Amino acid sequence: MAKSLRVDEVSGKMRERGWTQAHLAQQVGVTSQTVTNWMKGRDFPRPTALLKLAVTLGLAFENLVDPGGVTEPVIAFRKKAGTKTTDHHISKARGMGHLLKPLVALLSETRQLRTLITSPDCEYAPLRKAVEQTRAELGIGQHAVLSYSHLIGQFQKNAAILVPVLWGKKDRHENALHIRLPEEDVTFVYLNLDVKLEDFKFWIAHELAHVYTPELAGSEEGEDFADAFAGALLFPHECAEAAYRDAAGRVKSGVITALARYATQHEVSLNTVHQQVKRFAKNSGLPPLPVEDRTIHQVRNRVASTTVSEALFEPMPPDANSYISVASSVFQSEFFVALERLVKEQGVGAGYIQQVLDIPLKDSVSVHRALAV
């Protein structure tokens, strides 16, 4: 079944405004007959017209379109204990995905040869092998510190567009959102910059795992593998072994001090080091270190943490030009380059930016103004 407009929603918005189909056609830039064909289900708007229709009527995609049997965007929220991904979360993210489609044609041509993990497995041995192969492809050894540039560069090489956003300090899974467009073979990865700096590298590695395993994105299995891969990639077997040997035999406070030193050296969280050392000890048949997960979290929570946005921008909050500049330079993202073309060449407004970035209207107006200059 082909997708079609939700005619009742469109008609309701037209009634609110006192518009006829002819007036709507004028606003969208099509003929009256075209709108008639849409309303009768004879035809469906092209991506650009659909975008203008959504913005003109102020309708989110899920309220504008009945998708029928078409291929939907694949959505993955980072799993977080205590949170629940509802139908509303998925529907809203899919709507964002559909509205992102006009941007794809404005991106650079994507590589056909990409990095794939063909047999993803959370068990220790196969995961270790996948990490070894990945680090070898990146040109770094197993003891080396994995930098942000190593991770960020992999997204661009694998047709994944990073979209840094300022969504505030949320203790929920909206801090990372993965939207894959199967038909276009492009992925958009939203990363909230208003999070702790020490956690951010793990989240980027988690999202990279989704890019490497597209067939698992959106599944519980995919989330479990992404978490396992991220930890092992950032602090692999060889590092975990060294940390265990260093911490073994110490009292609890000494263990924490030793693990914290490795966390600082590798620019990852104390919890990442702790979890990887635990996995190493269990796999090697060694006794666990005398420190519990709860203690590690308590230590972390006592330390004041800088957010990524605070580290990148001075002062906070940044103006639109600074925000766009960082997205392009630091995160090597084509997102705002393509968005600028869409604004200038097709005349999309702030309402579209509000929907695809999921930000307040006043912020989208500022971004639109910066792109339209």
Side-chain angles (χ1 to χ4, degrees), residues 242-263 270 273-274 277 289-292 295-296 299 302:
Y244 179 89
R245 304 297 182 193
D246 191 0
R250 298 172 182 256
V251 296
K252 182 181 293 187
S253 60
V255 169
I256 294 174
T257 298
L259 298 185
R261 185 168 60 252
Y262 282 90
L270 176 61
V273 172
H274 171 60
V277 169
L289 296 176
V291 61
E292 302 172 343
T295 303
I296 294 294
V299 171
R302 286 200 298 265

mmCIF file of all heavy atoms in Angstrom, residues 242-263 270 273-274 277 289-292 295-296 299 302:
data_model
loop_
_atom_site.group_PDB
_atom_site.id
_atom_site.type_symbol
_atom_site.label_atom_id
_atom_site.label_comp_id
_atom_site.label_asym_id
_atom_site.label_seq_id
_atom_site.Cartn_x
_atom_site.Cartn_y
_atom_site.Cartn_z
ATOM 1 N N ALA A 242 46.299 -4.416 31.667
ATOM 2 C CA ALA A 242 47.283 -3.578 32.353
ATOM 3 C C ALA A 242 46.671 -2.909 33.579
ATOM 4 O O ALA A 242 47.294 -2.840 34.644
ATOM 5 C CB ALA A 242 47.825 -2.523 31.385
ATOM 6 N N ALA A 243 45.428 -2.442 33.441
ATOM 7 C CA ALA A 243 44.754 -1.784 34.559
ATOM 8 C C ALA A 243 44.481 -2.772 35.678
ATOM 9 O O ALA A 243 44.628 -2.447 36.872
ATOM 10 C CB ALA A 243 43.452 -1.137 34.075
ATOM 11 N N TYR A 244 44.089 -3.990 35.310
ATOM 12 C CA TYR A 244 43.822 -5.010 36.340
ATOM 13 C C TYR A 244 45.100 -5.333 37.112
ATOM 14 O O TYR A 244 45.083 -5.385 38.348
ATOM 15 C CB TYR A 244 43.261 -6.272 35.688
ATOM 16 C CG TYR A 244 42.974 -7.374 36.688
ATOM 17 C CD1 TYR A 244 41.729 -7.457 37.313
ATOM 18 C CD2 TYR A 244 43.951 -8.309 37.031
ATOM 19 C CE1 TYR A 244 41.473 -8.454 38.246
ATOM 20 C CE2 TYR A 244 43.704 -9.299 37.962
ATOM 21 C CZ TYR A 244 42.458 -9.367 38.568
ATOM 22 O OH TYR A 244 42.204 -10.345 39.502
ATOM 23 N N ARG A 245 46.184 -5.555 36.398
ATOM 24 C CA ARG A 245 47.450 -5.896 37.062
ATOM 25 C C ARG A 245 47.894 -4.763 37.989
ATOM 26 O O ARG A 245 48.433 -5.016 39.078
ATOM 27 C CB ARG A 245 48.544 -6.163 36.023
ATOM 28 C CG ARG A 245 48.224 -7.234 34.993
ATOM 29 C CD ARG A 245 48.019 -8.593 35.594
ATOM 30 N NE ARG A 245 47.752 -9.603 34.571
ATOM 31 C CZ ARG A 245 47.291 -10.822 34.813
ATOM 32 N NH1 ARG A 245 47.059 -11.205 36.069
ATOM 33 N NH2 ARG A 245 47.075 -11.664 33.829
ATOM 34 N N ASP A 246 47.653 -3.538 37.555
ATOM 35 C CA ASP A 246 48.058 -2.377 38.344
ATOM 36 C C ASP A 246 47.216 -2.254 39.617
ATOM 37 O O ASP A 246 47.726 -1.913 40.698
ATOM 38 C CB ASP A 246 47.898 -1.121 37.477
ATOM 39 C CG ASP A 246 48.539 0.110 38.112
ATOM 40 O OD1 ASP A 246 49.096 -0.004 39.217
ATOM 41 O OD2 ASP A 246 48.477 1.187 37.498
ATOM 42 N N ALA A 247 45.897 -2.540 39.494
ATOM 43 C CA ALA A 247 44.985 -2.333 40.620
ATOM 44 C C ALA A 247 44.906 -3.529 41.564
ATOM 45 O O ALA A 247 44.532 -3.374 42.740
ATOM 46 C CB ALA A 247 43.592 -2.008 40.088
ATOM 47 N N ALA A 248 45.232 -4.713 41.067
ATOM 48 C CA ALA A 248 45.109 -5.933 41.877
ATOM 49 C C ALA A 248 45.984 -5.849 43.123
ATOM 50 O O ALA A 248 47.126 -5.375 43.086
ATOM 51 C CB ALA A 248 45.501 -7.156 41.045
ATOM 52 N N GLY A 249 45.439 -6.287 44.238
ATOM 53 C CA GLY A 249 46.182 -6.297 45.492
ATOM 54 C C GLY A 249 46.058 -5.021 46.287
ATOM 55 O O GLY A 249 46.533 -4.944 47.425
ATOM 56 N N ARG A 250 45.443 -3.997 45.722
ATOM 57 C CA ARG A 250 45.265 -2.741 46.454
ATOM 58 C C ARG A 250 43.956 -2.782 47.250
ATOM 59 O O ARG A 250 43.048 -3.555 46.955
ATOM 60 C CB ARG A 250 45.195 -1.555 45.474
ATOM 61 C CG ARG A 250 46.450 -1.338 44.640
ATOM 62 C CD ARG A 250 46.187 -0.264 43.589
ATOM 63 N NE ARG A 250 47.319 -0.021 42.714
ATOM 64 C CZ ARG A 250 48.130 1.030 42.784
ATOM 65 N NH1 ARG A 250 47.937 1.938 43.747
ATOM 66 N NH2 ARG A 250 49.118 1.177 41.932
ATOM 67 N N VAL A 251 43.845 -1.904 48.238
ATOM 68 C CA VAL A 251 42.584 -1.730 48.945
ATOM 69 C C VAL A 251 41.639 -0.963 48.018
ATOM 70 O O VAL A 251 42.036 -0.439 46.971
ATOM 71 C CB VAL A 251 42.782 -0.953 50.264
ATOM 72 C CG1 VAL A 251 43.666 -1.752 51.212
ATOM 73 C CG2 VAL A 251 43.375 0.422 49.994
ATOM 74 N N LYS A 252 40.363 -0.862 48.420
ATOM 75 C CA LYS A 252 39.345 -0.283 47.540
ATOM 76 C C LYS A 252 39.714 1.109 47.041
ATOM 77 O O LYS A 252 39.609 1.415 45.851
ATOM 78 C CB LYS A 252 37.999 -0.229 48.256
ATOM 79 C CG LYS A 252 36.863 0.325 47.382
ATOM 80 C CD LYS A 252 35.551 0.397 48.136
ATOM 81 C CE LYS A 252 35.028 -0.977 48.476
ATOM 82 N NZ LYS A 252 33.653 -0.910 49.058
ATOM 83 N N SER A 253 40.179 1.965 47.936
ATOM 84 C CA SER A 253 40.516 3.331 47.525
ATOM 85 C C SER A 253 41.666 3.332 46.528
ATOM 86 O O SER A 253 41.707 4.132 45.579
ATOM 87 C CB SER A 253 40.870 4.189 48.736
ATOM 88 O OG SER A 253 41.995 3.650 49.420
ATOM 89 N N GLY A 254 42.608 2.418 46.722
ATOM 90 C CA GLY A 254 43.740 2.315 45.806
ATOM 91 C C GLY A 254 43.323 1.808 44.438
ATOM 92 O O GLY A 254 43.859 2.232 43.410
ATOM 93 N N VAL A 255 42.358 0.892 44.428
ATOM 94 C CA VAL A 255 41.823 0.382 43.161
ATOM 95 C C VAL A 255 41.190 1.515 42.362
ATOM 96 O O VAL A 255 41.441 1.677 41.166
ATOM 97 C CB VAL A 255 40.787 -0.730 43.418
ATOM 98 C CG1 VAL A 255 40.042 -1.076 42.120
ATOM 99 C CG2 VAL A 255 41.461 -1.982 43.976
ATOM 100 N N ILE A 256 40.368 2.294 43.046
ATOM 101 C CA ILE A 256 39.686 3.400 42.371
ATOM 102 C C ILE A 256 40.695 4.413 41.834
ATOM 103 O O ILE A 256 40.567 4.899 40.704
ATOM 104 C CB ILE A 256 38.682 4.075 43.325
ATOM 105 C CG1 ILE A 256 37.563 3.093 43.672
ATOM 106 C CG2 ILE A 256 38.119 5.350 42.702
ATOM 107 C CD1 ILE A 256 36.601 3.605 44.725
ATOM 108 N N THR A 257 41.722 4.696 42.625
ATOM 109 C CA THR A 257 42.760 5.637 42.184
ATOM 110 C C THR A 257 43.461 5.118 40.934
ATOM 111 O O THR A 257 43.713 5.873 39.984
ATOM 112 C CB THR A 257 43.783 5.866 43.298
ATOM 113 O OG1 THR A 257 43.130 6.444 44.426
ATOM 114 C CG2 THR A 257 44.898 6.793 42.833
ATOM 115 N N ALA A 258 43.774 3.826 40.919
ATOM 116 C CA ALA A 258 44.465 3.228 39.774
ATOM 117 C C ALA A 258 43.577 3.267 38.530
ATOM 118 O O ALA A 258 44.024 3.643 37.439
ATOM 119 C CB ALA A 258 44.863 1.788 40.096
ATOM 120 N N LEU A 259 42.300 2.893 38.677
ATOM 121 C CA LEU A 259 41.388 2.886 37.528
ATOM 122 C C LEU A 259 41.152 4.307 37.013
ATOM 123 O O LEU A 259 41.049 4.529 35.799
ATOM 124 C CB LEU A 259 40.057 2.233 37.912
ATOM 125 C CG LEU A 259 40.112 0.763 38.340
ATOM 126 C CD1 LEU A 259 38.708 0.224 38.565
ATOM 127 C CD2 LEU A 259 40.851 -0.089 37.313
ATOM 128 N N ALA A 260 41.060 5.257 37.948
ATOM 129 C CA ALA A 260 40.843 6.653 37.555
ATOM 130 C C ALA A 260 42.011 7.178 36.736
ATOM 131 O O ALA A 260 41.826 7.991 35.818
ATOM 132 C CB ALA A 260 40.620 7.518 38.789
ATOM 133 N N ARG A 261 43.224 6.724 37.054
ATOM 134 C CA ARG A 261 44.399 7.161 36.301
ATOM 135 C C ARG A 261 44.309 6.701 34.843
ATOM 136 O O ARG A 261 44.619 7.464 33.919
ATOM 137 C CB ARG A 261 45.664 6.619 36.966
ATOM 138 C CG ARG A 261 46.939 7.113 36.314
ATOM 139 C CD ARG A 261 48.163 6.801 37.151
ATOM 140 N NE ARG A 261 48.334 5.371 37.375
ATOM 141 C CZ ARG A 261 48.134 4.761 38.533
ATOM 142 N NH1 ARG A 261 47.742 5.450 39.596
ATOM 143 N NH2 ARG A 261 48.316 3.454 38.657
ATOM 144 N N TYR A 262 43.844 5.471 34.641
ATOM 145 C CA TYR A 262 43.682 4.972 33.269
ATOM 146 C C TYR A 262 42.546 5.694 32.546
ATOM 147 O O TYR A 262 42.637 5.953 31.341
ATOM 148 C CB TYR A 262 43.414 3.463 33.289
ATOM 149 C CG TYR A 262 44.657 2.643 33.514
ATOM 150 C CD1 TYR A 262 45.062 2.304 34.803
ATOM 151 C CD2 TYR A 262 45.437 2.219 32.442
ATOM 152 C CE1 TYR A 262 46.209 1.554 35.026
ATOM 153 C CE2 TYR A 262 46.590 1.471 32.647
ATOM 154 C CZ TYR A 262 46.977 1.136 33.947
ATOM 155 O OH TYR A 262 48.119 0.401 34.156
ATOM 156 N N ALA A 263 41.484 6.021 33.275
ATOM 157 C CA ALA A 263 40.370 6.744 32.674
ATOM 158 C C ALA A 263 40.829 8.106 32.168
ATOM 159 O O ALA A 263 40.486 8.533 31.057
ATOM 160 C CB ALA A 263 39.239 6.902 33.686
ATOM 161 N N LEU A 270 35.387 6.750 34.221
ATOM 162 C CA LEU A 270 35.823 5.749 35.193
ATOM 163 C C LEU A 270 34.996 4.477 35.053
ATOM 164 O O LEU A 270 35.510 3.365 35.176
ATOM 165 C CB LEU A 270 35.699 6.320 36.609
ATOM 166 C CG LEU A 270 36.016 5.389 37.776
ATOM 167 C CD1 LEU A 270 37.456 4.903 37.705
ATOM 168 C CD2 LEU A 270 35.757 6.096 39.106
ATOM 169 N N VAL A 273 36.261 2.179 32.178
ATOM 170 C CA VAL A 273 37.444 1.411 32.583
ATOM 171 C C VAL A 273 37.039 0.286 33.526
ATOM 172 O O VAL A 273 37.468 -0.872 33.357
ATOM 173 C CB VAL A 273 38.475 2.336 33.259
ATOM 174 C CG1 VAL A 273 39.622 1.520 33.860
ATOM 175 C CG2 VAL A 273 39.011 3.355 32.258
ATOM 176 N N HIS A 274 36.222 0.596 34.514
ATOM 177 C CA HIS A 274 35.793 -0.401 35.494
ATOM 178 C C HIS A 274 35.089 -1.577 34.815
ATOM 179 O O HIS A 274 35.389 -2.750 35.116
ATOM 180 C CB HIS A 274 34.864 0.266 36.508
ATOM 181 C CG HIS A 274 34.187 -0.668 37.452
ATOM 182 N ND1 HIS A 274 34.879 -1.496 38.307
ATOM 183 C CD2 HIS A 274 32.859 -0.909 37.673
ATOM 184 C CE1 HIS A 274 34.017 -2.201 39.034
ATOM 185 N NE2 HIS A 274 32.799 -1.872 38.652
ATOM 186 N N VAL A 277 37.539 -3.747 32.794
ATOM 187 C CA VAL A 277 38.394 -4.532 33.678
ATOM 188 C C VAL A 277 37.607 -5.708 34.266
ATOM 189 O O VAL A 277 38.125 -6.827 34.382
ATOM 190 C CB VAL A 277 38.981 -3.640 34.789
ATOM 191 C CG1 VAL A 277 39.651 -4.489 35.871
ATOM 192 C CG2 VAL A 277 39.992 -2.656 34.200
ATOM 193 N N LEU A 289 38.090 -7.303 41.113
ATOM 194 C CA LEU A 289 38.670 -6.281 41.989
ATOM 195 C C LEU A 289 37.668 -5.917 43.080
ATOM 196 O O LEU A 289 36.445 -5.986 42.852
ATOM 197 C CB LEU A 289 39.033 -5.034 41.174
ATOM 198 C CG LEU A 289 40.117 -5.226 40.102
ATOM 199 C CD1 LEU A 289 40.295 -3.937 39.311
ATOM 200 C CD2 LEU A 289 41.444 -5.657 40.730
ATOM 201 N N PRO A 290 38.145 -5.519 44.268
ATOM 202 C CA PRO A 290 37.242 -5.256 45.402
ATOM 203 C C PRO A 290 36.553 -3.884 45.319
ATOM 204 O O PRO A 290 36.693 -3.048 46.220
ATOM 205 C CB PRO A 290 38.192 -5.341 46.598
ATOM 206 C CG PRO A 290 39.492 -4.856 46.067
ATOM 207 C CD PRO A 290 39.562 -5.388 44.656
ATOM 208 N N VAL A 291 35.811 -3.660 44.258
ATOM 209 C CA VAL A 291 35.059 -2.408 44.115
ATOM 210 C C VAL A 291 33.771 -2.706 43.359
ATOM 211 O O VAL A 291 33.766 -3.467 42.383
ATOM 212 C CB VAL A 291 35.904 -1.329 43.392
ATOM 213 C CG1 VAL A 291 36.275 -1.775 41.989
ATOM 214 C CG2 VAL A 291 35.180 -0.006 43.359
ATOM 215 N N GLU A 292 32.671 -2.129 43.818
ATOM 216 C CA GLU A 292 31.370 -2.402 43.232
ATOM 217 C C GLU A 292 30.967 -1.305 42.262
ATOM 218 O O GLU A 292 31.456 -0.175 42.323
ATOM 219 C CB GLU A 292 30.313 -2.516 44.340
ATOM 220 C CG GLU A 292 30.617 -3.599 45.365
ATOM 221 C CD GLU A 292 29.655 -3.538 46.550
ATOM 222 O OE1 GLU A 292 28.999 -2.484 46.723
ATOM 223 O OE2 GLU A 292 29.587 -4.526 47.291
ATOM 224 N N THR A 295 29.797 1.891 43.963
ATOM 225 C CA THR A 295 30.866 2.761 44.451
ATOM 226 C C THR A 295 31.450 3.605 43.325
ATOM 227 O O THR A 295 31.722 4.796 43.499
ATOM 228 C CB THR A 295 31.974 1.921 45.094
ATOM 229 O OG1 THR A 295 31.419 1.120 46.152
ATOM 230 C CG2 THR A 295 33.076 2.807 45.658
ATOM 231 N N ILE A 296 31.632 2.989 42.166
ATOM 232 C CA ILE A 296 32.157 3.714 41.004
ATOM 233 C C ILE A 296 31.232 4.873 40.633
ATOM 234 O O ILE A 296 31.682 5.998 40.371
ATOM 235 C CB ILE A 296 32.332 2.769 39.799
ATOM 236 C CG1 ILE A 296 33.418 1.732 40.092
ATOM 237 C CG2 ILE A 296 32.644 3.544 38.535
ATOM 238 C CD1 ILE A 296 34.804 2.304 40.228
ATOM 239 N N VAL A 299 31.517 7.714 43.154
ATOM 240 C CA VAL A 299 32.736 8.495 42.938
ATOM 241 C C VAL A 299 32.544 9.447 41.763
ATOM 242 O O VAL A 299 32.911 10.632 41.831
ATOM 243 C CB VAL A 299 33.938 7.565 42.688
ATOM 244 C CG1 VAL A 299 35.167 8.370 42.251
ATOM 245 C CG2 VAL A 299 34.259 6.756 43.938
ATOM 246 N N ARG A 302 30.384 12.517 42.538
ATOM 247 C CA ARG A 302 30.953 13.511 43.453
ATOM 248 C C ARG A 302 31.832 14.522 42.728
ATOM 249 O O ARG A 302 32.166 15.572 43.265
ATOM 250 C CB ARG A 302 31.777 12.818 44.551
ATOM 251 C CG ARG A 302 30.942 12.112 45.597
ATOM 252 C CD ARG A 302 31.751 11.890 46.857
ATOM 253 N NE ARG A 302 32.911 11.044 46.634
ATOM 254 C CZ ARG A 302 32.920 9.720 46.853
ATOM 255 N NH1 ARG A 302 31.820 9.124 47.278
ATOM 256 N NH2 ARG A 302 34.011 9.016 46.651
#
